Amino acid sequence: MRGMFAVVVIALALFPGMARAHNPLTSTGQEQWAAWLAAVMLGVFWVLYLLGARRTSVKPWMFWLFQGTAVLTFITLLGPLDDWAETSSAAHMTQHMLMMVVIAPLFALTKPLPQLYVVGGRWLKHAWQWAFKITRYPMFCAYLHGFMIWFWHIPTFYMLAIENPWVHVFEHACFLITAVWFWWACLYASKEKSAFALLALLFTLMHTGFLGALLTFGNEPFYGESRDLGDQQLAGLIMWVLGGIPYILASIWTGMRWYRHLMRTIWA
């Protein structure tokens, strides 16, 4: 019953708004094909979770947080914001920040792996376990995620993703996957690795803030003369100021966790 109710909630929240506004799913050509591929992939992931939730014990708040995050993911990637991002750097940055500092940590908080394990069989369970081995190393996840952030904000590749819908889908996958790994590694780091989790968060806070500052104080548009400089500066502020808040909050929590572990080690 929870699964069916969740389907209804998502359908009511998502599709009426999309039907009234232009978005990738209502476009034409390659953009529409790429959008529907992304929608199918997200839909399969969501259905697998719902099937797994029927066969495993899930805390209610985690279950409904997953549903809400799924709705937010669909709206962010396939709603009108994606269309606005083609002409507005600020809208594009908002989309990126939603993926990297809102959707990714929320998915990590829902801990969906047990639900995916139970419906995937032994082979798929091993595949998930292998994919998440990387989360044992917070700093490596931070380096990988940081590389993706800077790579896709290089003007050449930024504009390639804007102009080619298939590259755009791949760009989003790079952001989401590496961001989920990063947040998983930081939020669920062992007590012994909590210091590395803190360092990973501070490292990411600094380099994303630096990139945001570059965009904010740039004296010319980085992504084509047709783009407004003020719009680019707003994009920089979104990354620098608003995008930094989740990293700061997570750093405070992780720092307290590391400090408590350090004190227990000293006084043991």
Side-chain angles (χ1 to χ4, degrees):
M1 289 298 294
R2 286 192 309 179
M4 291 300 297
F5 185 67
V7 171
V8 174
V9 169
I10 290 179
L12 291 176
L14 182 62
F15 292 107
M18 285 191 171
R20 291 192 297 267
H22 181 71
N23 61 80
L25 294 176
T26 60
S27 60
T28 58
Q30 294 297 311
E31 184 179 1
Q32 187 179 49
W33 282 105
W36 277 106
L37 174 63
V40 169
M41 293 173 65
L42 288 170
V44 168
F45 179 73
W46 172 61
V47 169
L48 288 176
Y49 176 85
L50 288 178
L51 292 174
R54 296 182 62 183
R55 298 167 57 183
T56 58
S57 176
V58 187
K59 293 180 180 179
W61 73 267
M62 285 186 172
F63 178 84
W64 290 111
L65 180 60
F66 184 94
Q67 309 314 314
T69 307
V71 171
L72 180 60
T73 304
F74 270 95
I75 293 174
T76 299
L77 298 182
L78 302 171
L81 181 62
D82 191 77
D83 184 54
W84 301 334
E86 293 183 7
T87 56
S88 170
S89 296
H92 203 181
M93 184 62 74
T94 300
Q95 189 180 41
H96 290 177
M97 290 297 99
L98 282 171
M99 284 187 282
M100 293 187 289
V101 301
V102 179
I103 292 170
L106 289 180
F107 267 131
L109 287 173
T110 65
K111 290 187 176 181
L113 291 185
Q115 288 68 51
L116 299 176
Y117 288 164
V118 77
V119 296
R122 184 168 61 179
W123 181 85
L124 194 55
K125 179 179 180 179
H126 289 325
W128 283 110
Q129 290 175 334
W130 178 83
F132 275 78
K133 280 185 178 179
I134 193 174
T135 60
R136 299 175 185 175
Y137 311 100
M139 282 305 301
F140 183 77
C141 289
Y143 293 145
L144 179 62
H145 185 46
F147 172 80
M148 291 300 174
I149 292 173
W150 281 85
F151 177 85
W152 288 111
H153 283 89
I154 295 172
T156 300
F157 301 110
Y158 182 100
M159 294 307 300
L160 181 62
I162 291 293
E163 296 164 359
N164 188 310
W166 297 105
V167 176
H168 202 190
V169 170
F170 180 66
E171 175 197 43
H172 289 170
C174 291
F175 283 149
L176 269 176
I177 292 172
T178 61
V180 169
W181 280 340
F182 167 78
W183 284 104
W184 198 289
C186 292
L187 295 177
Y188 300 119
S190 64
K191 294 178 181 178
E192 291 74 17
K193 291 187 176 181
S194 56
F196 290 103
L198 175 59
L199 183 60
L201 286 162
L202 293 176
F203 167 75
T204 305
L205 172 65
M206 288 188 292
H207 79 72
T208 54
F210 180 65
L211 177 57
L214 287 178
L215 295 171
T216 301
F217 294 111
N219 54 14
E220 62 182 24
F222 294 163
Y223 303 116
E225 295 181 358
S226 61
R227 299 224 165 196
D228 182 65
L229 178 60
D231 186 58
Q232 175 183 291
Q233 292 171 337
L234 177 58
L237 286 172
I238 290 171
M239 170 175 268
W240 187 9
V241 181
L242 296 180
I245 293 174
Y247 297 124
I248 293 172
L249 295 176
S251 297
I252 293 171
W253 178 82
T254 305
M256 293 175 62
R257 187 167 177 257
W258 171 63
Y259 178 76
R260 287 195 297 267
H261 171 67
L262 187 62
M263 289 298 99
R264 283 194 294 267
T265 303
I266 293 174
W267 294 106

